[in-house]
Amino acid sequence: MEKRKAGTGRQKVAMEKIHKKSNLQVTFCKRRAGLFKKASELCTLCGVEVAIVVFSPAGKPFAFGHPEVNSIVDKFLARNPHRITGSHQLMEAHRNANVRELNMQLTFVLEQLEMERKKGQLLDQIREATRRQSWWESSIDLLGLIELEQLREAMAELKKSVAEQANKVMAESANSFPFLVNRMGIVGSFENKFNGVSGDYSSVPRGNYFGHGQGSF
Amino acid sequence: MEKRKAGTGRQKVAMEKIHKKSNLQVTFCKRRAGLFKKASELCTLCGVEVAIVVFSPAGKPFAFGHPEVNSIVDKFLARNPHRITGSHQLMEAHRNANVRELNMQLTFVLEQLEMERKKGQLLDQIREATRRQSWWESSIDLLGLIELEQLREAMAELKKSVAEQANKVMAESANSFPFLVNRMGIVGSFENKFNGVSGDYSSVPRGNYFGHGQGSF
DNA sequence: CTTGCTATATATAACCA
DNA sequence: TTGGTTATATATAGCAA
């Protein structure tokens, strides 16, 4: 009838920033290890190149790379002060302008997402009330739903906007650089914004390195 | 009797390169997504910066980054303007990667929207009740609610639209400069490429610096 | 290349060392 | 910060579309 000390067992955790420092520390440490493990498995199983860079909550850099972070990153970034043809630079600028537009739109979408979420919670409450036959008692809560109408419009417009933007970008690029666009398509750097993950920690000039065979860094 | 199509269920797999081409492809696709998801969770839960670069078996670059690959990598590599690579092959890789990154992020966000959307199914119930009570005639609040259905559609369309644009761009990028890229090893038949995770990519050791917020380009 | 489904293989949140 | 232990939450291998 009695059990040995039953470990608490894994608990579901909300996908939001962990506030409890102790947990944050442990979670970061373990998940980072898990992430790197997944990465190495991907390398082994699929024989591909993977590079990961992570800055810990303390600002400490951690990295994983196969075959090596630097080479992979270099290949990816391929950025250098090297002079390129005018048309390239032009295209570069042209592209960035449009990318900026797309960025704003992504941000907008994210905002909509958050709004949607809030509305979703509201809906849950409404459903509860509704089930108790007193749907009308919750009509007051429905007021907030009016905003959804605006949201819908915004989304519709956003959709059109994005589509137009994409088309415009491609079309303009095609006009400006027909010799390139045909084979390259367009688009370039892009700043993304994900869930509000922010933080400014004091940096600790010290590094750790994990990887498969390439110690330099 | 209900015979449920018994899925094979997950099977243990040896940690060695997958040879079956079809499996390799699916596994790569899924695990890459899983890796990126883990990364985003790490970002959210611990509020840290993470950047990942992956070259698919086909040599296509995929990337994840919060807040963005470039800044994080810059911070990691932190070097002065230097080295010349001479060709835009690298730029090409970068471009492709960015397109994919954009698509990845966008897809991620849209997926979340879709999830929220499911909650929208509640609308059906609510609308039912509404109809029964015919209170819509006395409450304009419902207008916004009813419009929600359209919102769902709008979002679905948005997703499709964006995805199409992105895919169109990527499709072209994917085949860009096959004659040039081969030299870089960015593209190639993934059957005889990366046989092992060995690579003889020249690494270029350079000074490094770590800190928060000095990455630039 | 992506996605959905189902039956497992893994990753891990708490907690203790 | 890194390591076990236990009880679950997730990730995913095989298939199929």
Side-chain angles (χ1 to χ4, degrees):
Chain A
M1 69 193 276
E2 54 174 44
K3 295 301 192 96
R4 96 193 77 169
K5 173 204 60 179
T8 311
R10 180 176 182 174
Q11 311 279 308
K12 185 181 177 101
V13 58
M15 265 305 289
E16 52 188 28
K17 179 159 183 177
I18 296 173
H19 296 297
K20 200 170 183 179
K21 265 191 173 180
S22 56
N23 284 30
L24 175 58
Q25 195 87 326
V26 177
T27 293
F28 174 74
C29 181
K30 292 189 174 181
R31 274 181 177 263
R32 173 171 55 67
L35 185 70
F36 285 10
K37 184 183 178 184
K38 287 287 185 186
S40 78
E41 292 185 343
L42 184 61
C43 287
T44 304
L45 292 172
C46 305
V48 299
E49 298 177 14
V50 179
I52 302 179
V53 174
V54 179
F55 281 88
S56 76
K60 199 170 164 183
F62 287 80
F64 165 89
H66 180 88
E68 185 185 342
V69 178
N70 285 351
S71 62
I72 298 174
V73 162
D74 279 344
K75 190 156 80 175
F76 180 76
L77 294 181
R79 60 174 52 160
N80 52 66
H82 163 228
R83 293 180 190 303
I84 50 183
T85 66
S87 42
H88 268 90
Q89 294 187 306
L90 226 182
M91 194 177 94
E92 200 65 35
H94 182 252
R95 199 177 70 207
N96 288 334
N98 288 305
V99 166
R100 204 159 298 135
E101 266 306 305
L102 291 174
N103 268 331
M104 290 197 280
Q105 309 199 320
L106 174 64
T107 298
F108 186 67
V109 174
L110 287 169
E111 286 171 10
Q112 304 315 309
L113 171 59
E114 203 162 340
M115 251 199 270
E116 243 296 283
R117 280 184 165 152
K118 290 179 180 176
K119 297 309 173 188
Q121 301 183 333
L122 212 190
L123 286 177
D124 280 325
Q125 300 181 310
I126 293 174
R127 177 173 57 178
E128 286 303 310
T130 299
R131 274 190 172 174
R132 293 173 203 156
Q133 36 61 49
S134 53
W135 53 269
W136 44 290
E137 282 185 43
S138 62
S139 63
I140 298 176
D141 300 314
L142 290 177
L143 289 174
L145 289 178
I146 294 178
E147 296 169 37
L148 281 173
E149 163 69 335
Q150 302 176 352
L151 170 60
R152 184 193 65 69
E153 281 183 47
M155 289 300 282
E157 203 163 320
L158 169 62
K159 188 205 77 174
K160 198 196 308 177
S161 186
V162 172
E164 288 179 355
Q165 193 62 49
N167 281 316
K168 186 170 66 177
V169 171
M170 290 195 285
E172 292 184 3
S173 296
N175 289 326
S176 307
F177 321 99
F179 53 97
L180 286 178
V181 181
N182 281 331
R183 307 187 124 279
M184 310 173 68
I186 46 76
V187 177
S189 59
F190 148 79
E191 304 165 26
N192 68 50
K193 306 107 194 296
F194 242 61
N195 303 320
V197 190
S198 60
D200 77 285
Y201 316 85
S202 52
S203 62
V204 180
R206 193 152 116 53
N208 286 50
Y209 184 87
F210 289 73
H212 276 222
Q214 72 314 153
S216 66
F217 141 52
Chain B
M1 53 192 261
E2 306 293 25
K3 58 174 84 173
R4 180 178 293 269
K5 182 181 63 178
T8 312
R10 180 176 181 174
Q11 320 238 327
K12 179 162 185 171
V13 60
M15 265 304 286
E16 53 186 34
K17 178 162 183 177
I18 297 173
H19 294 297
K20 199 170 184 179
K21 194 172 68 177
S22 57
N23 284 25
L24 175 58
Q25 181 129 10
V26 176
T27 293
F28 174 74
C29 182
K30 290 186 175 182
R31 275 180 178 264
R32 172 172 53 69
L35 185 70
F36 284 13
K37 184 182 179 186
K38 286 287 187 186
S40 78
E41 292 184 342
L42 184 61
C43 287
T44 303
L45 292 173
C46 306
V48 300
E49 297 178 10
V50 178
I52 302 180
V53 173
V54 178
F55 281 88
S56 77
K60 294 175 190 174
F62 287 80
F64 166 88
H66 175 87
E68 56 183 295
V69 180
N70 289 0
S71 64
I72 298 175
V73 164
D74 275 342
K75 191 155 76 178
F76 185 75
L77 298 178
R79 55 217 160 156
N80 326 338
H82 68 296
R83 220 171 42 135
I84 48 85
T85 52
S87 53
H88 45 308
Q89 295 145 232
L90 297 176
M91 216 171 95
E92 187 54 24
H94 191 194
R95 188 191 319 295
N96 275 335
N98 280 310
V99 173
R100 288 177 177 292
E101 179 183 9
L102 182 154
N103 183 55
M104 186 70 205
Q105 312 285 6
L106 221 41
T107 298
F108 183 82
V109 174
L110 288 170
E111 283 178 334
Q112 290 191 283
L113 271 175
E114 194 162 27
M115 276 198 277
E116 288 302 317
R117 185 200 61 134
K118 289 179 179 176
K119 285 188 177 178
Q121 297 180 346
L122 291 171
L123 291 177
D124 295 319
Q125 295 177 42
I126 295 177
R127 189 175 62 170
E128 287 283 4
T130 296
R131 221 170 242 172
R132 247 176 287 146
Q133 309 303 315
S134 296
W135 67 311
W136 52 339
E137 293 187 295
S138 58
S139 174
I140 53 176
D141 298 343
L142 250 216
L143 288 177
L145 189 56
I146 294 176
E147 289 301 318
L148 262 175
E149 281 201 299
Q150 289 173 46
L151 167 61
R152 268 196 300 179
E153 270 185 66
M155 289 196 289
E157 275 187 67
L158 167 63
K159 178 178 179 180
K160 192 191 304 177
S161 181
V162 172
E164 284 181 329
Q165 294 304 325
N167 280 318
K168 193 176 298 176
V169 174
M170 291 193 289
E172 309 222 3
S173 300
N175 301 310
S176 57
F177 305 107
F179 49 93
L180 286 177
V181 183
N182 275 329
R183 186 177 156 230
M184 257 298 293
I186 289 182
V187 170
S189 70
F190 62 89
E191 282 202 283
N192 52 41
K193 196 65 174 44
F194 309 113
N195 277 320
V197 244
S198 57
D200 63 302
Y201 302 95
S202 57
S203 66
V204 182
R206 46 178 90 41
N208 38 51
Y209 163 87
F210 298 103
H212 208 82
Q214 47 71 209
S216 64
F217 177 68

